């Protein structure tokens, strides 16, 4: 089967790659573009470790085909920091010990960023339900939720 | 010196009913070898893995640890964690 | 082990600095098992049995081998034939080999039968379909009690060890019995005896990162392995044995690990990747799918338990007896002995007897899950205790306090306890606002104690000082919970230099001495103890250099706040020499300065916890909401409190999943029905409340700073605490886990009838 050519934008950079039509966007990010921040935890869209945004919308990249990325704008965890300056969520997660093994962290950060862009003042319940698609097995979510809500407060204050 | 070694009840079948055995030894290694010498059937459980509790402190594998007559010594099945 | 102790007055230990690998983990830079590639790399895929039990009549790999994209195919014949079968756990390498690649029989749904390496992951997956297999399907058994019955299909003959009484089915492979006193006399003394039976189903550790590895093995017997593992030295020696190569010729590097909890303390795909690589003469990468992880790695045992406890009206326990039957898959290893030894361990009992069975069934080979075996026993025992309290009208916390083991008590498994923290956790629970908070209608409260042994294990640590006064610490225990930070804190405490000036590396098998696995709650204890010792070793050398420079004896120099100082006014009047000063020209004053420590530390202190849970049951749907959760656990000394809290919260969350939703569901055909996260339901953020934690510190005399392991104890109380809360909320005693909505509805219905 011949590979298909895809042109797309990832974290603001124009990129292109060849992929098998069966390969997912996750496979392409990781194997063609060396962006291994997004992880495959399940391959069925249940764990959120592969979370990215596509044209601003939060998706599981394992549920999207690589060829569907043609002409889209994709944002991954690798694009969250601006040079040396971490995103407030990234800083808070380290400060609050909101990660233990760290495998779910890229997905959680991408999802949390998408939440705060949509709703800068989420309640605990709203935060928990938004992040319900990101499985974490280490933390019990407590420090993650606190980090997201306190970052939201910081960001509201700063603006 | 004479050590008093407590075995778990499941080992009684291999020692003719004895659950406390006296052996002459001064280290864990010596104690285990003496137990096997007195009761050859104990070789299998000891080889399968034992931990030794000395005065409440559980020694998982140190054969060289010294033992004294006044120590409370318990043989236990090897502990495994996760 | 002579340890000069410091139990207070810490400068760095007990603070909450940022973890050294934080930046890597929040930017996606950290490399986990599947995040690496190699030039010329092939992708491996494994063919797995669709039958729960079958004789493999024929494997024909010729079509796969002929495919142009396929560069190697392996079966059992490609592994060492020198690995010996032995009964019980003595033949563990043989058990691992038989699990890694089937021999004559497929023993469970998902058992590996053959593997291919091809030029892409998709090509490898497609190539599996070219392997032709002929099976003779055999009757199977997946339930533990059925596997012990006289008519049960035999998994393997001759696997039972010395401990198994005569007359039991060959599937019973190990037996444990312990206890003391006279339980019959004790029951006779009781005012109330409750006897009941309980079951728990197998669960999976559920780490979000599937197993992944990249292997390279040459015909010269030299190899490299990168893998997601809790223990690369164990992976090294196991793979070496299975591949028939020398241990030291295989260099294993541990990747960052995306969760383990005990499930990554052994090997599944690594020997296969090495075998494929050797045959293809190219590196081979294998990454498991989520479904493979559930079907073919190491879930916990399932358990069937009978408990009998007698109590007086005043709450004194007069006798306790427990029979614990655990199945561990088609191999010996179910921790029935641990279940038995831990079940009654929190209590000071005159009469106690416990029996544990290790039974084989047609299921994957079990692996450790935090405190292996202990949660099941705690669930059963603590449920019966609760039942006794309810029937006698006694407060559950008071009864536990009344019977609690303390320093000087005889443990249920025999020895006398040294200093332990159980009573302190119970007193903290009693005083905690959670315990006295009012409950709303439909809510119930449950408490439970839990116990775990903790572990020492072989440990090697090296500390190298740099000329600029910074330090490099090499440890051998993969960082599964944030331990790099704790190691750096302990080194900083001894060296007296800032935490930020210490870089912690997880060394590989070729660059450090042997290390036992990151398990048994041992990392902060054992690697920490070794770090302290290695740092002290370096400090001795620093003092020697200062003494030489000052021309005074070395015992006239002491180390204070990161400097060599004269130990007293008689030693001489010299300005303090900071570490960086001494290391600046260390090459010229005696050579580079390193400290190291290799030992198998003993004296890992046991650890206790008490959990308080509030639950609300919806009588229409059977759904349980956990409305409040408090973990109180003895850490001995919390080196980095935020990560200790994290262990408490994580253990509680896993316990909530195990208690309420998680289970392995087998069909009539013996196949796993729920092998993806959609159907194997672990807790999500919207299922849980905030989890409050109280860190109790009763120092462990066996560690220089008092550390007790914390990683495992946290999973022991939740099953029972939640079962007690749910049983109290629903008004019916729940005896089978998980307490999923259908089960709760069925129990409510049965109690109405």
């Amino acid at each position: 089967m011949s590979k298909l050519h895809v042109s797309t934008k990832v974290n603001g950079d124009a990129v292109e790659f060849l992929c098998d039509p069966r390969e997912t966007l996750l496979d392409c990010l990781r194997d063609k573009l060396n962006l291994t921040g997004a992880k495959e935890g399940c391959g069925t869209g249940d764990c959120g470790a592969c979370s990215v945004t596509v044209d601003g919308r939060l998706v599981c990249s394992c549920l999207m085909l690589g060829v569907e990325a043609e002409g889209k704008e994709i944002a991954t965890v690798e694009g969250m920091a601006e040079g040396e300056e971490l995103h407030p969520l990234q800083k808070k997660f380290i400060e609050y010990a909101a990660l233990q093994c760290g495998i779910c962290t890229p997905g959680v950060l991408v999802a949390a960023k998408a939440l705060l862009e949509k709703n800068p003042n989420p309640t605990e319940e709203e935060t928990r339900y938004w992040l319900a698609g990101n499985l974490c097995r280490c933390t019990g979510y407590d420090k993650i939720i606190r980090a997201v809500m306190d970052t939201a407060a910081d960001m509201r204050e700063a603006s | 010196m004479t050590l008093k070694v407590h075995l778990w009840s499941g080992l009684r079948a291999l020692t003719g009913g004895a659950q406390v055995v006296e052996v002459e030894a001064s280290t864990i290694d010596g104690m285990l070898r003496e137990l096997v010498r007195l009761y050859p059937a104990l070789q299998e459980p000891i080889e399968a893995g034992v931990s030794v509790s000395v005065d409440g402190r559980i020694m998982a594998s140190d054969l060289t640890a010294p033992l004294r007559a006044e120590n409370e010594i318990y043989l236990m099945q090897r502990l495994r964690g996760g | 082990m002579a340890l000069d102790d410091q139990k207070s007055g810490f400068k760095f230990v007990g603070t909450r600095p940022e973890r050294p690998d934080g930046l890597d983990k929040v930017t996606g830079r950290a490399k986990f098992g599947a995040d690496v590639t190699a030039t010329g790399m092939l992708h491996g895929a494994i063919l797995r049995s669709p039958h729960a039990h079958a004789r493999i009549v024929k494997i024909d790999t010729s079509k796969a081998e002929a495919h142009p994209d396929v560069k190697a195919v392996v079966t059992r014949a490609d592994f060492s034939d020198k690995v010996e079968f032995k009964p019980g756990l003595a033949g563990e390498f043989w058990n691992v080999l038989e699990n890694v690649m089937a021999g004559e029989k497929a023993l469970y749904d998902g058992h590996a039968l053959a593997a291919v390496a091809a030029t892409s992951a998709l090509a490898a997956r497609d190539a599996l379909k070219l392997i032709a297999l002929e099976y003779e399907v055999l009757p199977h058994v997946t339930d533990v009690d059925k596997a012990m019955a006289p008519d049960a299909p035999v998994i393997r003959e001759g696997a039972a060890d010395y401990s198994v009484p005569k007359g039991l089915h060959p599937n019973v492979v190990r037996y444990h019995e312990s206890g003391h006193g006279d339980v019959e006399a004790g029951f006779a003394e009781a005012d109330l005896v409750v006897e009941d039976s309980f079951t728990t189903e197998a669960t999976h550790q559920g780490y979000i990162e599937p197993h992944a590895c990249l292997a390279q093995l040459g015909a010269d017997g030299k190899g490299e392995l990168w893998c997601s593992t809790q223990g690369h030295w164990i992976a090294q020696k196991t793979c070496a044995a299975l591949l028939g190569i020398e241990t030291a010729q295989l260099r294993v590097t541990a990747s960052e690990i995306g969760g383990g909890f005990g499930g990554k303390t052994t090997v599944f795909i690594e020997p296969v990747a090495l075998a494929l690589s050797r045959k293809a003469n190219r590196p081979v990468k294998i990454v498991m799918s989520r479904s493979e992880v559930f079907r073919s790695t190491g879930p916990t045992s399932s358990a069937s338990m009978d408990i009998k406890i007698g109590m007086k009206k005043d709450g004194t326990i007069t006798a306790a007896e427990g029979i614990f039957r655990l199945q561990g898959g088609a191999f010996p290893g179910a921790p029935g002995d641990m279940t038995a030894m831990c079940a009654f361990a929190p209590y000071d009992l005159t009469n106690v007897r416990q029996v544990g069975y290790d039974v084989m069934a047609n299921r994957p080979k079990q692996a450790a899950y935090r405190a292996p075996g202990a949660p099941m026993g705690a669930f059963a025992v603590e449920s019966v205790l609760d039942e006794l309290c309810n029937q006698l009208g006694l407060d559950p916390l008071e009864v536990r306090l009344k019977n609690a083991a303390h320093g000087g008590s005889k443990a249920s498994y025999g020895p006398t306890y040294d200093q332990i923290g159980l009573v302190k956790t119970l007193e903290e629970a009693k005083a905690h606002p959670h315990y006295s908070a009012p409950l709303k209608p439909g809510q119930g409260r449950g408490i439970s104690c839990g116990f775990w042994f903790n572990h020492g294990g072989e440990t090697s640590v090296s500390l190298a000082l740099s000329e600029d006064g910074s330090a490099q610490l090499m440890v051998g225990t993969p960082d599964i919970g944030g331990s790099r930070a704790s190691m750096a804190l302990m080194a900083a405490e001894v060296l007296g230099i800032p935490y930020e000036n210490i870089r912690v590396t997880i060394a590989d098998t070729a660059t450090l001495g042997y290390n036992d696995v990151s398990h048994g709650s041992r990392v902060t204890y054992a690697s920490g103890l070794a770090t302290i010792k290695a740092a002290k070793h370096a400090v001795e050398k620093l003092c020697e250099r200062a003494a030489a420079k000052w021309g005074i004896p070395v015992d006239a120099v002491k180390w204070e706040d990161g400097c060599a100082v004269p130990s007293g006014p008689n030693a001489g009047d010299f300005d303090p020499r900071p570490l960086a000063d001494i290391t600046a020209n260390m090459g010229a004053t005696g050579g580079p300065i390193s400290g190291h420590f290799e030992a198998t530390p003993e004296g890992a202190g046991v650890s206790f916890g008490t959990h308080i849970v509030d639950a609300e049951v919806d009588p229409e749907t059977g759904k349980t909401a956990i409305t409040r959760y408090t973990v109180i656990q003895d850490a001995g000394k919390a080196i980095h409190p935020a990560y200790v809290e994290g262990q408490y919260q994580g253990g509680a969350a896993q316990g909530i999943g195990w208690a309420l939703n998680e289970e392995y569901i087998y069909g009539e055909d013996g196949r796993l029905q729920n092998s993806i996260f959609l159907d194997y339901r672990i807790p999500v953020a919207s299922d849980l409340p905030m989890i409050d934690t109280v860190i109790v510190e009763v120092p462990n005399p066996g560690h220089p700073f008092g550390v007790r392991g914390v990683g495992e104890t946290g999973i022991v109380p939740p099953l029972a605490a939640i079962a007690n809360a749910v049983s109290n909320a629903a008004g019916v005693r729940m005896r089978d886990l998980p307490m999923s909505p259908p089960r709760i509805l069925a129990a409510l219905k049965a109690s109405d009838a």
Side-chain angles (χ1 to χ4, degrees), chain C residues 422-753:
Chain C
L422 172 63
V423 170
K424 193 129 189 257
T425 68
L426 285 166
E427 286 169 348
E428 292 276 344
K430 192 170 160 187
H432 198 282
H434 183 173
Y435 197 63
S436 43
L439 285 167
K440 299 201 201 98
Q443 288 184 345
R445 180 164 295 150
I447 67 153
S448 172
C449 295
F451 164 85
W452 186 247
F453 287 103
N454 300 332
H455 195 59
E458 296 87 341
T459 312
S460 304
V461 165
S462 241
L463 178 90
L465 297 177
S466 301
E467 287 165 351
D468 65 359
S470 57
Q472 299 181 121
L473 182 63
M474 275 79 54
V475 300
T477 38
D479 184 348
I480 60 178
S483 53
R484 277 179 182 95
S486 309
M487 299 303 128
L489 282 168
M490 287 184 270
E493 197 71 47
V494 174
L495 294 174
I497 63 175
Y499 163 88
E500 291 73 25
N501 295 3
I502 302 174
R503 177 158 186 170
V504 182
T505 306
I506 313 300
D508 63 49
T509 59
T511 54
L512 190 61
Y514 187 87
N515 275 273
D516 190 10
V517 181
S518 281
H519 73 155
S521 308
R522 63 176 290 263
V523 175
T524 312
Y525 170 72
S527 275
L529 181 156
T531 294
I532 294 164
K533 291 284 191 176
K536 287 189 174 167
H537 189 209
V539 161
E540 275 165 27
K541 297 184 187 180
L542 288 161
C543 288
E544 279 167 26
R545 304 294 171 95
K549 177 149 183 163
W550 291 334
I552 61 178
V554 67
D555 54 12
V557 178
K558 63 178 180 180
W559 192 260
E560 219 169 66
D561 280 330
C563 299
V565 300
S567 57
N570 293 346
D573 185 18
F574 301 103
D575 287 333
R577 278 197 82 198
L579 188 149
D581 216 56
I582 302 176
T583 55
N585 64 345
M586 58 185 174
T589 62
I593 297 178
S594 285
H596 60 94
F597 185 77
E598 298 88 27
T600 307
E602 302 288 2
V606 301
S607 119
F608 286 92
T610 299
H611 290 202
I612 311 171
V613 182
D614 291 348
E616 198 173 284
V617 174
D618 181 332
E620 275 186 55
T621 61
K623 181 170 191 273
T624 302
I626 303 290
T627 53
R628 191 166 176 182
Y629 204 112
T630 305
V631 176
I632 301 153
Q633 187 177 324
D634 179 12
K637 176 68 199 166
I639 303 296
H640 191 309
Y643 289 103
V644 172
E645 290 162 359
Q647 292 301 312
Y648 292 4
Q649 293 168 330
Q654 288 181 318
I656 291 169
W658 193 338
L660 295 180
N661 290 96
E662 294 178 41
E663 58 177 322
Y664 265 47
I665 300 174
Y666 280 92
E668 284 299 306
D669 55 3
R671 300 184 67 179
L672 183 62
Q673 304 291 300
N674 59 335
S675 66
I676 57 175
F677 273 135
L678 182 65
D679 305 316
Y680 181 90
R681 177 73 161 71
I682 76 174
V684 304
S686 49
D687 291 330
L688 302 179
M690 294 296 183
I691 301 172
D692 295 323
T693 59
V694 176
I695 302 175
V696 162
E697 289 179 319
V698 174
N700 169 22
H703 184 278
F705 296 163
V707 166
R708 289 179 197 273
V710 297
E712 295 169 289
T713 303
I715 205 176
V716 182
L719 305 193
I722 296 164
N724 288 339
V726 169
S727 300
N728 289 332
V732 286
R733 173 62 49 190
M734 299 302 294
R735 298 179 174 85
D736 306 294
L737 297 186
M739 297 173 287
S740 53
R743 287 224 176 95
I744 290 186
L745 288 177
L748 287 172
K749 202 166 167 198
S751 83
D752 282 344

Side-chain angles (χ1 to χ4, degrees), chain C residues 114-354:
Chain C
V116 304
T119 49
S120 72
L122 285 170
R125 215 176 65 190
D126 289 343
L128 292 181
K129 298 176 195 159
L130 299 175
I131 302 178
L133 273 122
E134 229 179 277
Y135 301 97
E136 180 204 331
V137 177
L138 302 169
H140 63 271
V141 60
T142 54
D143 175 78
V144 60
D145 290 327
K146 292 200 177 115
M148 293 174 74
D151 58 348
V154 175
I155 308 292
R156 190 178 307 112
E157 292 282 4
D161 75 4
Y162 71 91
S163 63
V164 179
K166 294 211 176 357
L168 292 178
H169 192 284
N171 289 342
V172 180
V173 287
R174 294 187 312 134
Y175 173 87
H176 170 94
E177 191 186 325
S178 58
H180 54 263
D182 180 346
V183 290
E184 292 311 323
F187 289 131
E189 273 177 67
D191 292 315
L192 176 63
V193 174
V194 169
E195 211 177 331
D196 215 339
S197 295
F198 301 83
T199 64
T200 64
E201 187 41 82
T203 57
H204 195 274
Q205 303 81 355
Y207 31 82
I208 306 301
E209 182 206 21
H211 299 250
C213 69
L214 174 57
Q216 159 75 52
L217 182 56
D220 59 356
K222 290 183 165 55
E224 316 254 329
L225 176 67
W226 161 276
C227 57
S228 173
T229 179
Q230 289 173 246
H232 33 317
W233 278 266
I234 302 287
Q236 180 197 35
K237 73 178 176 187
T238 310
C239 288
L242 269 48
L243 275 292
I245 62 177
E246 273 188 344
T247 303
Q249 302 297 348
L250 178 63
R251 178 176 187 174
V252 185
T253 306
S255 69
E256 292 301 323
I257 173 173
F261 314 109
K264 290 182 179 165
T265 55
T266 179
V267 295
F268 297 99
I269 54 176
E270 294 79 359
V272 180
L274 285 162
L276 285 167
S277 174
R278 180 163 59 185
K279 227 166 169 182
N281 196 27
R282 285 166 69 168
V284 174
K285 180 174 181 178
I286 299 186
V287 181
M288 279 183 131
S289 69
R290 176 52 52 183
S291 183
E292 281 183 287
V293 172
F294 277 121
R295 287 169 78 210
S296 313
T297 58
T300 66
S301 301
S302 53
S304 170
M305 305 172 277
D306 307 318
I307 308 292
K308 185 174 175 183
I309 302 181
M311 190 180 278
K312 286 212 184 94
K313 274 197 284 247
D314 69 356
T316 313
I317 300 173
T318 61
E321 187 174 59
I323 318 287
F324 306 94
R325 297 172 292 276
L326 274 68
Q327 67 74 30
F331 303 88
D337 50 353
M338 296 293 115
T339 313
M341 286 197 272
C342 294
F344 297 110
Y347 304 107
D348 187 1
L349 302 172
T350 315
N351 307 304
V352 63
R353 180 177 173 258
Q354 52 255 347

Side-chain angles (χ1 to χ4, degrees), chain C residues 53-76:
Chain C
H53 199 189
R55 193 163 313 280
I56 300 168
V57 174
K58 195 164 134 196
I59 305 186
D60 182 353
T61 58
S62 54
K63 284 213 179 74
E65 287 178 64
H67 194 287
D69 291 343
V70 174
K71 304 302 177 189
V73 179
V74 299
T75 60
R76 177 62 167 270

Side-chain angles (χ1 to χ4, degrees), chain A residues 11 35-39 49 51-53 75-81 87 90 105-110 113, chain C residues 24-29:
Chain A
N11 298 328
L35 293 167
T36 55
K39 312 290 179 196
S51 299
V52 299
T53 60
T76 71
V77 70
E78 287 92 342
M80 265 180 88
H87 187 280
Q90 290 171 306
T105 305
V108 173
L109 284 169
V110 168
K113 178 167 182 266
Chain C
D24 291 340
K25 300 241 160 111
V26 300
T27 55
R29 212 158 54 200

